[in-house]
Amino acid sequence: EEKGHSMLISLLNAMLNLQGSEQIQSITLEMQEFPGVFNRKNCLLDIIGTTNAGEKVLVEIQQQGDKFFRDRVEYYMARVIENHVHKNEKYELPRIYFLGLLDFEMFPEAPQTYIHHVDQMCNGRKYLKKIQKVFVEIAKFFELEKNGITQTDHSDAAEWLRAIMGIIKEEPMPESILQNETFKKLLESVKLINFIEDIFNLEVKNMTDLQAQHEIGYSEGHEQGFADGIEKGFAEGSLEERSKIAKSLYANGVPLEIIMRCSGFSEEEIKNL
């Protein structure tokens, strides 16, 4: 949202569990990258913001887990801290929040907990209250919700995740979601019909545009490479996912022979999707 960032602020306050005077009231988004210097790696986050109180908010959306993800979180925070303190200034840090929205399980030892506040502790107390790390296991919440375990959880975080789940899975929304003004706005904003062509292209610039890949592939003689990429997507997906990919490719004008070759579906099966 360009004006006000109201939905982003609502999401951040919910996931970080900020209440009362601690809530984020406004936010200014910044360049998301801290370039590496000499032999240092780049630091590229999905969202970096500064609140009206001068606090830093870092948001990382992670779809696949890897054994160095926790290390990367510490590196990202260290780079942000380093870039905040300049020469001849006091070592005074703002409050810094790291929010990880995860599509994988990071804490298997807590099978019924989907949101985790991670702090440095000393003698049973927080060592540095200015640094706050929160990890939200989205896929785990979906599973807990499906099994009825989170039914009594009416926190702002749970309501946000229910709204996200309904959008992703295209399922009926609970009444609490449909009557909430923020979520009404969210549901309206994600309708593709709202996006004029230029804005839509901007929104999806970092996503795979199948039609563009198809056209570029043909114009540059890379049809085989394009087909290989599609084939890999089919090979790694479930039957439901493969059906969705085939349907999307067909809707975007990809030739039937390519879809048939990569998916294993017949022409009739593809058209019936």
Side-chain angles (χ1 to χ4, degrees), residues 182-197:
T182 297
F183 298 138
K184 282 183 184 178
K185 197 173 181 181
L186 174 68
L187 294 171
E188 183 62 30
S189 71
V190 297
K191 291 180 180 177
L192 295 185
I193 197 171
N194 294 328
F195 294 95
I196 61 173
E197 185 176 353

mmCIF file of all heavy atoms in Angstrom, residues 182-197:
data_model
loop_
_atom_site.group_PDB
_atom_site.id
_atom_site.type_symbol
_atom_site.label_atom_id
_atom_site.label_comp_id
_atom_site.label_asym_id
_atom_site.label_seq_id
_atom_site.Cartn_x
_atom_site.Cartn_y
_atom_site.Cartn_z
ATOM 1 N N THR A 182 -9.875 -3.992 8.458
ATOM 2 C CA THR A 182 -8.538 -4.200 7.887
ATOM 3 C C THR A 182 -8.546 -5.360 6.910
ATOM 4 O O THR A 182 -7.985 -5.274 5.810
ATOM 5 C CB THR A 182 -7.507 -4.470 9.001
ATOM 6 O OG1 THR A 182 -7.413 -3.324 9.839
ATOM 7 C CG2 THR A 182 -6.134 -4.757 8.407
ATOM 8 N N PHE A 183 -9.200 -6.453 7.282
ATOM 9 C CA PHE A 183 -9.209 -7.634 6.422
ATOM 10 C C PHE A 183 -10.117 -7.440 5.211
ATOM 11 O O PHE A 183 -9.861 -7.993 4.140
ATOM 12 C CB PHE A 183 -9.607 -8.867 7.221
ATOM 13 C CG PHE A 183 -8.643 -9.197 8.332
ATOM 14 C CD1 PHE A 183 -9.087 -9.593 9.580
ATOM 15 C CD2 PHE A 183 -7.275 -9.076 8.129
ATOM 16 C CE1 PHE A 183 -8.196 -9.878 10.591
ATOM 17 C CE2 PHE A 183 -6.374 -9.361 9.136
ATOM 18 C CZ PHE A 183 -6.836 -9.756 10.376
ATOM 19 N N LYS A 184 -11.176 -6.649 5.378
ATOM 20 C CA LYS A 184 -11.999 -6.286 4.210
ATOM 21 C C LYS A 184 -11.129 -5.584 3.174
ATOM 22 O O LYS A 184 -11.200 -5.851 1.976
ATOM 23 C CB LYS A 184 -13.142 -5.366 4.632
ATOM 24 C CG LYS A 184 -14.316 -6.052 5.306
ATOM 25 C CD LYS A 184 -15.393 -5.008 5.595
ATOM 26 C CE LYS A 184 -16.562 -5.596 6.351
ATOM 27 N NZ LYS A 184 -17.583 -4.559 6.672
ATOM 28 N N LYS A 185 -10.309 -4.670 3.687
ATOM 29 C CA LYS A 185 -9.408 -3.917 2.816
ATOM 30 C C LYS A 185 -8.385 -4.846 2.166
ATOM 31 O O LYS A 185 -8.057 -4.723 0.984
ATOM 32 C CB LYS A 185 -8.696 -2.852 3.659
ATOM 33 C CG LYS A 185 -8.035 -1.742 2.870
ATOM 34 C CD LYS A 185 -7.529 -0.687 3.844
ATOM 35 C CE LYS A 185 -6.885 0.471 3.106
ATOM 36 N NZ LYS A 185 -6.367 1.484 4.049
ATOM 37 N N LEU A 186 -7.876 -5.807 2.964
ATOM 38 C CA LEU A 186 -6.908 -6.776 2.446
ATOM 39 C C LEU A 186 -7.524 -7.614 1.332
ATOM 40 O O LEU A 186 -6.932 -7.788 0.261
ATOM 41 C CB LEU A 186 -6.434 -7.687 3.583
ATOM 42 C CG LEU A 186 -5.529 -8.852 3.185
ATOM 43 C CD1 LEU A 186 -4.182 -8.345 2.700
ATOM 44 C CD2 LEU A 186 -5.343 -9.813 4.349
ATOM 45 N N LEU A 187 -8.723 -8.142 1.578
ATOM 46 C CA LEU A 187 -9.387 -8.989 0.587
ATOM 47 C C LEU A 187 -9.664 -8.222 -0.692
ATOM 48 O O LEU A 187 -9.533 -8.759 -1.794
ATOM 49 C CB LEU A 187 -10.692 -9.545 1.167
ATOM 50 C CG LEU A 187 -10.540 -10.517 2.340
ATOM 51 C CD1 LEU A 187 -11.889 -10.836 2.960
ATOM 52 C CD2 LEU A 187 -9.859 -11.790 1.891
ATOM 53 N N GLU A 188 -10.041 -6.957 -0.543
ATOM 54 C CA GLU A 188 -10.306 -6.138 -1.724
ATOM 55 C C GLU A 188 -9.024 -5.838 -2.486
ATOM 56 O O GLU A 188 -8.994 -5.849 -3.717
ATOM 57 C CB GLU A 188 -10.991 -4.831 -1.298
ATOM 58 C CG GLU A 188 -11.393 -3.927 -2.444
ATOM 59 C CD GLU A 188 -12.420 -4.565 -3.373
ATOM 60 O OE1 GLU A 188 -13.229 -5.400 -2.913
ATOM 61 O OE2 GLU A 188 -12.399 -4.233 -4.573
ATOM 62 N N SER A 189 -7.948 -5.608 -1.736
ATOM 63 C CA SER A 189 -6.699 -5.181 -2.368
ATOM 64 C C SER A 189 -6.038 -6.282 -3.176
ATOM 65 O O SER A 189 -5.271 -6.006 -4.097
ATOM 66 C CB SER A 189 -5.723 -4.666 -1.312
ATOM 67 O OG SER A 189 -5.222 -5.728 -0.525
ATOM 68 N N VAL A 190 -6.291 -7.559 -2.827
ATOM 69 C CA VAL A 190 -5.611 -8.648 -3.526
ATOM 70 C C VAL A 190 -6.374 -9.114 -4.766
ATOM 71 O O VAL A 190 -5.901 -10.005 -5.473
ATOM 72 C CB VAL A 190 -5.357 -9.856 -2.600
ATOM 73 C CG1 VAL A 190 -4.441 -9.473 -1.466
ATOM 74 C CG2 VAL A 190 -6.660 -10.429 -2.091
ATOM 75 N N LYS A 191 -7.530 -8.528 -5.031
ATOM 76 C CA LYS A 191 -8.240 -8.873 -6.254
ATOM 77 C C LYS A 191 -7.465 -8.316 -7.444
ATOM 78 O O LYS A 191 -7.218 -7.116 -7.538
ATOM 79 C CB LYS A 191 -9.651 -8.284 -6.237
ATOM 80 C CG LYS A 191 -10.578 -8.930 -5.221
ATOM 81 C CD LYS A 191 -11.956 -8.291 -5.270
ATOM 82 C CE LYS A 191 -12.896 -8.916 -4.252
ATOM 83 N NZ LYS A 191 -14.216 -8.248 -4.246
ATOM 84 N N LEU A 192 -7.097 -9.184 -8.362
ATOM 85 C CA LEU A 192 -6.275 -8.755 -9.487
ATOM 86 C C LEU A 192 -6.989 -7.742 -10.365
ATOM 87 O O LEU A 192 -6.347 -6.947 -11.052
ATOM 88 C CB LEU A 192 -5.875 -9.975 -10.326
ATOM 89 C CG LEU A 192 -4.963 -10.989 -9.638
ATOM 90 C CD1 LEU A 192 -4.560 -12.069 -10.621
ATOM 91 C CD2 LEU A 192 -3.729 -10.328 -9.058
ATOM 92 N N ILE A 193 -8.315 -7.740 -10.321
ATOM 93 C CA ILE A 193 -9.054 -6.812 -11.160
ATOM 94 C C ILE A 193 -8.782 -5.358 -10.782
ATOM 95 O O ILE A 193 -9.001 -4.433 -11.552
ATOM 96 C CB ILE A 193 -10.577 -7.112 -11.084
ATOM 97 C CG1 ILE A 193 -11.311 -6.465 -12.241
ATOM 98 C CG2 ILE A 193 -11.159 -6.668 -9.747
ATOM 99 C CD1 ILE A 193 -12.772 -6.887 -12.369
ATOM 100 N N ASN A 194 -8.261 -5.155 -9.546
ATOM 101 C CA ASN A 194 -7.971 -3.798 -9.089
ATOM 102 C C ASN A 194 -6.703 -3.227 -9.697
ATOM 103 O O ASN A 194 -6.447 -2.035 -9.606
ATOM 104 C CB ASN A 194 -7.820 -3.767 -7.560
ATOM 105 C CG ASN A 194 -9.120 -4.095 -6.865
ATOM 106 O OD1 ASN A 194 -10.178 -3.788 -7.384
ATOM 107 N ND2 ASN A 194 -9.049 -4.715 -5.712
ATOM 108 N N PHE A 195 -5.855 -4.075 -10.272
ATOM 109 C CA PHE A 195 -4.553 -3.629 -10.732
ATOM 110 C C PHE A 195 -4.597 -3.257 -12.208
ATOM 111 O O PHE A 195 -4.889 -4.103 -13.047
ATOM 112 C CB PHE A 195 -3.498 -4.726 -10.523
ATOM 113 C CG PHE A 195 -3.239 -5.037 -9.092
ATOM 114 C CD1 PHE A 195 -3.896 -6.077 -8.471
ATOM 115 C CD2 PHE A 195 -2.345 -4.290 -8.360
ATOM 116 C CE1 PHE A 195 -3.664 -6.372 -7.137
ATOM 117 C CE2 PHE A 195 -2.097 -4.576 -7.033
ATOM 118 C CZ PHE A 195 -2.761 -5.613 -6.420
ATOM 119 N N ILE A 196 -4.293 -2.011 -12.506
ATOM 120 C CA ILE A 196 -4.104 -1.655 -13.906
ATOM 121 C C ILE A 196 -2.797 -2.277 -14.362
ATOM 122 O O ILE A 196 -1.960 -2.680 -13.550
ATOM 123 C CB ILE A 196 -4.085 -0.130 -14.103
ATOM 124 C CG1 ILE A 196 -2.930 0.518 -13.323
ATOM 125 C CG2 ILE A 196 -5.396 0.501 -13.698
ATOM 126 C CD1 ILE A 196 -2.750 1.979 -13.610
ATOM 127 N N GLU A 197 -2.576 -2.345 -15.638
ATOM 128 C CA GLU A 197 -1.452 -3.123 -16.175
ATOM 129 C C GLU A 197 -0.104 -2.684 -15.608
ATOM 130 O O GLU A 197 0.713 -3.526 -15.207
ATOM 131 C CB GLU A 197 -1.435 -3.004 -17.702
ATOM 132 C CG GLU A 197 -0.376 -3.884 -18.356
ATOM 133 C CD GLU A 197 -0.435 -3.830 -19.865
ATOM 134 O OE1 GLU A 197 -1.378 -3.207 -20.401
ATOM 135 O OE2 GLU A 197 0.467 -4.396 -20.491
#
